[in-house]
C-alpha cells in the first residue's frame, strides 16, 4: 500500500457508548467530507460506522473507539472494542441474512456498502475496518 | 381542554382546533377530515390560505380522495380563506357566522347529512379591519356548532400566530385535534398518518427505537389492508430497524400490502437487506423535498 505520511494522519479518534451514537454519526459524516469522500457516499460510510459501533456497544462491552484516516485513495473508518470478541471466528463469507433472521445485518451492510472490509476478533476485542474509495485526493 | 382528539373521532357539533408546525402533518389531518366528510355524505367546505385552491385539491387527490367527482357534484368546495373571511376587505364576525348558518341550511336543502368546515386561519394575520374580532368569532362558532349537524376544524400555524392569540383561540375550541404520536424529540418523530392510513417517521431512526417502532407498526397494520409507511423525511435508518419494517411486511397475508415511501439512502438500505424479496412490499423512492 502506498501512502504518504500526511495521508495516514488520523483525522478522527474518539470513544463512544450507546448514548454517543448520534454524535458519532455526525462526527463521521463531517470527517468523511473533510477527508474527501464524495458526498453521495458519505451516508453509506455513516451507516457502516453506525452498524459497527452498534455492534460494539451491544456485543463488545458497551463502549468502543472510532478512528478515521485517509490512506492513499481510500477513506478508512476503524471501529474497535475491548469486548469478549465474536462467538465464532470472522470469515470472509458475508451472505445477506434471511428476511426473518434475528441479526447479522450490521456486518452484511458493512461488507456490502464498503469497498474493502476487514474484521479481526479475539478474546481481547474486535476491530473492524471499512474502506471507501475516494478517487483523487483533494488539493491541499 | 381535554386531551387531543384523533381526527377520525370528531363528531357533528365539534369545534376543533388544529395547531400545527409541520405542513405535512396539517395536510394529512385536513385530508382525513375531508375524506371522512365525503364518506359520511356531508358537504365539505375547505378554506385555504397557505396554498391555492388548485394546489390544495391536487394534494387531496394525491392522498386518494375523489376530488374531481366531489367538486363536480358540489359536495366538496375548495376556496380561498381571504375571499370569504375578509370579503370586502374587512372581517365581520356576525357576517361570517350568518354565512356559515346559511351554508348549513343550504347543505340540508341540497340533501347532505350535515356540513364540515375547515379553514386555514392565517387570513387573520392580514392587516385588515375587524381581525380583532377573531376570539369572539371563535367563541360564537363553538356555540353555533354545538347544537348543529355541522363540525369544524380551524387550522392555526404555531409558527405564525403569537402565543397569546394561540392560547385564546385554543381555549375557544371544545377539542384539539392532533396526530397520535409515538415518539417526539429533536432527532425523531413517529406519528400516525391518517390519509392515506399508516405511519410517518421523520428524522433519524436506529435500533434504540425498535420498541416504539414495533408499537407504531403493530397499530398501523390494523388500520387498513394497504398500510402506508411514510419515510420521506427520514434521513437515517439502520439495518435492525429496516429489518423490523420488512419483517412486518413479510407477515402480511390475505392480500394486505405495505407501501413505503422514502429517500434514496433509506431505499438502498431496505433493498440491501432483502426488501426486494417480498411481494407484499412496495418501495417508492423519492428525492428529498424541501
Amino acid at each position: 500500500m502506498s501512502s504518504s505520511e500526511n495521508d495516514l494522519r488520523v483525522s478522527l479518534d474518539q470513544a463512544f457508548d450507546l448514548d454517543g451514537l448520534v454524535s458519532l454519526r455526525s462526527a463521521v459524516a463531517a470527517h468523511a467530507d473533510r477527508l474527501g469522500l464524495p458526498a453521495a457516499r458519505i451516508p453509506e460510510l455513516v451507516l457502516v460506522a453506525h452498524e459497527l459501533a452498534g455492534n460494539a456497544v451491544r456485543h463488545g462491552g458497551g463502549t468502543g473507539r472510532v478512528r478515521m484516516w485517509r490512506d492513499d485513495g481510500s477513506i478508512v473508518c476503524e471501529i474497535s472494542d475491548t469486548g469478549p470478541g465474536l462467538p465464532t471466528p470472522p470469515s470472509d463469507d458475508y451472505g445477506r441474512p434471511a428476511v426473518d433472521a434475528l441479526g447479522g445485518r450490521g456486518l452484511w451492510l458493512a461488507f456490502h456498502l464498503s469497498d474493502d472490509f476487514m474484521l479481526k476478533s479475539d478474546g481481547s476485542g474486535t476491530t473492524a475496518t471499512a474502506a471507501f474509495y475516494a478517487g483523487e485526493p483533494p488539493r491541499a | 381542554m381535554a386531551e387531543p382528539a384523533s381526527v377520525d373521532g370528531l363528531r357533528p357539533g365539534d369545534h376543533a382546533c388544529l395547531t400545527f408546525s409541520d405542513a405535512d402533518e396539517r395536510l394529512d389531518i385536513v385530508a382525513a377530515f375531508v375524506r371522512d366528510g365525503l364518506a359520511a355524505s356531508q358537504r365539505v367546505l375547505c378554506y385555504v390560505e397557505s396554498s391555492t385552491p388548485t394546489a390544495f385539491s391536487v394534494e387531496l387527490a394525491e392522498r386518494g380522495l375523489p376530488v374531481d367527482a366531489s367538486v363536480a357534484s358540489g359536495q366538496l368546495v375548495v376556496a380561498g380563506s381571504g375571499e370569504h373571511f375578509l370579503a370586502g376587505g374587512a372581517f365581520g364576525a356576525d357576517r361570517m357566522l350568518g354565512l356559515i348558518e346559511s351554508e348549513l341550511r343550504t347543505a340540508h336543502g341540497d340533501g347532505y347529512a350535515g356540513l364540515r368546515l375547515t379553514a386555514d386561519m392565517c387570513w387573520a394575520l392580514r392587516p385588515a379591519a375587524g381581525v380583532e374580532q377573531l376570539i369572539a368569532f371563535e367563541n360564537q362558532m363553538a356555540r353555533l356548532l354545538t347544537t348543529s349537524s355541522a363540525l369544524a376544524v380551524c387550522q392555526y400555524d404555531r409558527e405564525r400566530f403569537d402565543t397569546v392569540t394561540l392560547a385564546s383561540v385554543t381555549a375557544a375550541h371544545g377539542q384539539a385535534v392532533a396526530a397520535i404520536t409515538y415518539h417526539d424529540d429533536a432527532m425523531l418523530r413517529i406519528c400516525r398518518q391518517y390519509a392515506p392510513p399508516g405511519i410517518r417517521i421523520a428524522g433519524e431512526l436506529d435500533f434504540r427505537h425498535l420498541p416504539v417502532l414495533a408499537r407504531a407498526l403493530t397499530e398501523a397494520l390494523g388500520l387498513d389492508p394497504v398500510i402506508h409507511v411514510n419515510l420521506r423525511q427520514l434521513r437515517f435508518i439502520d439495518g435492525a430497524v429496516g429489518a423490523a419494517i420488512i419483517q412486518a411486511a413479510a407477515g402480511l397475508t390475505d392480500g394486505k400490502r405495505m407501501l413505503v415511501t422514502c429517500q434514496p439512502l433509506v431505499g438502498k438500505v431496505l433493498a440491501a437487506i432483502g426488501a426486494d424479496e417480498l411481494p407484499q412490499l412496495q418501495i417508492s423512492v423519492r428525492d428529498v423535498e424541501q
Side-chain angles (χ1 to χ4, degrees):
Chain A
M1 224 184 289
S2 73
S3 31
S4 72
E5 191 182 331
N6 196 39
D7 273 345
L8 282 171
R9 195 174 62 204
V10 170
S11 160
L12 171 67
D13 186 352
Q14 72 179 44
F16 61 83
D17 60 12
L18 180 65
D19 294 330
L21 289 180
V22 172
S23 58
L24 174 136
R25 296 201 296 261
S26 65
V28 166
H31 284 267
D33 182 49
R34 211 182 83 183
L35 290 168
L37 188 63
R41 297 208 70 195
I42 291 175
E44 298 176 15
L45 194 160
V46 169
L47 174 62
V48 168
H50 164 88
E51 292 290 350
L52 298 172
N55 282 345
V57 298
R58 282 176 293 179
H59 313 300
T63 59
R65 180 176 174 204
V66 55
R67 298 198 309 149
M68 285 176 68
W69 64 89
R70 185 172 175 121
D71 181 0
D72 204 10
S74 291
I75 310 307
V76 185
C77 178
E78 175 199 87
I79 305 277
S80 56
D81 66 59
T82 53
L86 296 180
T88 52
S91 74
D92 289 335
D93 180 25
Y94 299 100
R96 177 161 100 181
V99 165
D100 60 357
L102 283 177
R105 289 177 188 81
L107 291 180
W108 156 247
L109 285 168
F111 170 76
H112 177 67
L113 294 174
S114 64
D115 296 308
D116 199 6
F117 182 62
M118 274 195 327
L119 192 61
K120 287 187 295 183
S121 185
D122 60 28
S124 59
T126 300
T127 298
T129 312
F132 287 70
Y133 299 151
E136 292 301 305
R139 275 174 296 184
Chain B
M1 197 164 3
E3 283 293 292
S6 181
V7 62
D8 45 14
L10 296 176
R11 296 289 172 264
D14 285 347
H15 180 224
C17 188
L18 167 59
T19 59
F20 65 94
S21 47
D22 176 336
D24 277 351
E25 196 163 311
R26 182 259 290 264
L27 198 55
D28 175 45
I29 290 173
V30 170
F33 182 73
V34 173
R35 176 198 63 201
D36 293 351
L38 297 178
S41 302
Q42 296 160 336
R43 172 163 280 154
V44 183
L45 305 181
C46 301
Y47 298 122
V48 300
E49 174 88 0
S50 59
S51 61
T52 65
T54 307
F56 176 78
S57 299
V58 168
E59 294 276 9
L60 293 186
E62 282 180 354
R63 284 163 172 75
L65 276 68
V67 174
D68 289 346
S70 306
V71 169
S73 73
Q75 191 183 0
L76 174 63
V77 177
V78 181
S81 278
E83 294 89 281
H84 281 78
F85 287 90
L86 299 175
F91 178 64
D94 290 341
R95 185 189 57 78
M96 197 64 208
L97 290 161
L99 198 84
I100 289 164
E101 282 179 305
S102 151
E103 289 283 6
L104 182 56
R105 282 193 301 275
T106 307
H108 282 296
D110 290 347
Y112 292 105
L115 180 69
R116 262 180 199 239
L117 294 160
T118 185
D120 183 336
M121 302 302 280
C122 279
W123 59 265
L125 296 167
R126 295 195 198 178
V131 294
E132 73 283 355
Q133 299 171 38
L134 175 68
I135 310 295
F137 166 74
E138 289 286 23
N139 281 305
Q140 288 168 289
M141 263 291 278
R143 286 195 289 277
L144 184 156
L145 291 172
T146 303
T147 55
S148 78
S149 58
L151 64 162
V153 168
C154 305
Q155 309 157 33
Y156 285 90
D157 188 338
R158 275 198 291 266
E159 310 292 318
R160 297 192 58 198
F161 282 90
D162 67 89
T163 51
V164 174
T165 305
L166 281 175
S168 303
V169 297
T170 51
H173 291 77
Q175 289 82 27
V177 62
I180 293 175
T181 303
Y182 298 96
H183 185 102
D184 191 13
D185 65 24
M187 292 304 295
L188 176 68
R189 179 169 169 82
I190 304 178
C191 64
R192 174 76 57 82
Q193 177 174 283
Y194 294 87
I199 57 173
R200 180 172 49 239
I201 309 178
E204 302 191 9
L205 187 60
D206 65 42
F207 65 87
R208 296 169 303 152
H209 309 113
L210 282 170
V212 66
L213 175 71
R215 196 157 62 83
L217 275 173
T218 303
E219 286 194 19
L221 293 174
L223 294 175
D224 199 84
V226 180
I227 189 70
H228 292 257
V229 177
N230 179 348
L231 306 180
R232 287 164 81 166
Q233 303 294 330
L234 188 68
R235 297 185 302 270
F236 179 84
I237 191 171
D238 70 8
V241 165
I245 292 172
I246 67 173
Q247 283 167 356
L252 295 175
T253 53
D254 304 328
K256 289 187 172 184
R257 289 184 303 135
M258 180 187 289
L259 302 182
V260 174
T261 316
C262 61
Q263 297 177 23
L265 176 78
V266 172
K268 187 167 190 172
V269 174
L270 294 175
I273 60 174
D276 49 344
E277 293 175 17
L278 302 173
Q280 311 96 314
L281 179 59
Q282 183 189 325
I283 308 238
S284 168
V285 174
R286 302 193 195 183
D287 253 317
V288 191
E289 294 176 6
Q290 288 304 332

